[in-house]
Amino acid sequence: MIVVVEGPSGAGKTTWCRTHGGRFALLEDVPDRATVPEDPEAQARFWVERNVDRWTRVLERERRDELVVVDVDPFKLHYVWTLWRSGQISEHEWELQREASREAFSAHRYALADIYLVSAIDEPTLRARRDGDATRRRGGFERHVKLRDSLLRWYRAIDDLEPGRVHFELPDSGLTPDLLAVGPRRVRSGAELFDRLLALLS
């Protein structure tokens, strides 16, 4: 079973994963920005391949441990979609990433998780947490704050695909049996699922 923990920068994702995921937690690893190509098409493929590699590690952990708690969604198409929705990138950049992602998703190279825990805390709380955390530099914080509303819309659409698999909180009680009772998703990927998701977002 795969549980993804998501939310804006400063929402407490990594802390929640460490606290409640324990040995099942798979934390995010941020790439060296110098390795990212400048050409938009190459850049789109770079990010998709990176996310596919991460999904492969998720599946390996699931096979080994039966449960994996993932800090940040490996199916990270939401990031480019929210950038486009907030006017921070061009429609062409969104389309390149969308098509590269559709190709990989249709080939079952990466997919949707079984459960999503998405922090929906408001902007003032995010800023207060950022200001109170001296252990991390959040260079892209302002950019990420602008994505909050679109991010929530993205995960509402994922919930519409199969209601009850997205929870808009990081529960203090952790991964309770009630939360996990929904079980694995019957269909995690494929062209039809991808197209249904994008139709819900249009």
Side-chain angles (χ1 to χ4, degrees):
M1 190 151 186
I2 299 168
V3 178
V4 156
V5 179
E6 257 298 353
S9 178
K13 301 181 294 293
T14 302
T15 299
W16 194 94
C17 287
R18 286 189 177 123
T19 302
H20 298 289
R23 69 181 183 89
F24 300 108
L26 178 61
L27 303 182
E28 184 184 28
D29 54 334
V30 180
D32 179 357
R33 298 294 301 188
T35 65
V36 181
E38 291 187 15
D39 173 72
E41 187 169 351
Q43 191 174 106
R45 296 208 169 271
F46 170 88
W47 287 116
V48 169
E49 288 305 315
R50 182 179 182 276
N51 295 333
V52 164
D53 287 346
R54 191 150 187 261
W55 181 252
T56 300
R57 293 201 304 277
V58 169
L59 293 177
E60 289 168 355
R61 290 282 295 272
E62 184 192 30
R63 282 192 291 272
R64 187 187 77 188
D65 299 331
E66 297 186 351
L67 173 67
V68 56
V69 180
V70 190
D71 175 22
V72 180
D73 195 353
F75 179 49
K76 208 171 179 180
L77 183 58
H78 69 77
Y79 182 60
V80 180
W81 184 79
T82 56
L83 287 173
W84 172 58
R85 292 281 303 176
S86 61
Q88 298 184 65
I89 63 168
S90 70
E91 185 170 11
H92 179 62
E93 289 171 286
W94 154 243
E95 289 170 348
L96 287 172
Q97 188 86 42
R98 181 192 65 203
E99 293 311 306
S101 294
R102 187 183 190 280
E103 183 180 309
F105 200 90
S106 300
H108 308 281
R109 297 181 65 219
Y110 70 160
L112 298 182
D114 302 311
I115 295 174
Y116 290 90
L117 305 177
V118 182
S119 174
I121 61 176
D122 60 23
E123 185 177 330
T125 306
L126 288 172
R127 292 188 181 282
R129 288 189 179 185
R130 187 269 315 265
D131 294 343
D133 184 359
T135 64
R136 294 180 66 180
R137 277 190 71 248
R138 299 184 185 274
F141 181 82
E142 292 301 328
R143 171 180 250 201
H144 283 82
V145 165
K146 294 177 184 175
L147 309 182
R148 177 192 174 275
D149 292 346
S150 294
L151 181 73
L152 296 179
R153 183 178 170 197
W154 176 275
Y155 284 102
R156 286 189 195 103
I158 287 183
D159 192 48
D160 286 344
L161 292 171
E162 198 173 327
R165 293 188 176 275
V166 181
H167 302 265
F168 290 94
E169 63 174 342
L170 306 185
D172 293 337
S173 52
L175 295 170
T176 61
D178 286 351
L179 187 65
L180 298 175
V182 66
R185 195 183 286 269
R186 188 177 61 83
V187 178
R188 285 177 171 168
S189 62
E192 182 182 355
L193 187 61
F194 185 95
D195 292 342
R196 282 177 59 208
L197 174 60
L198 270 290
L200 286 167
L201 292 161
S202 62

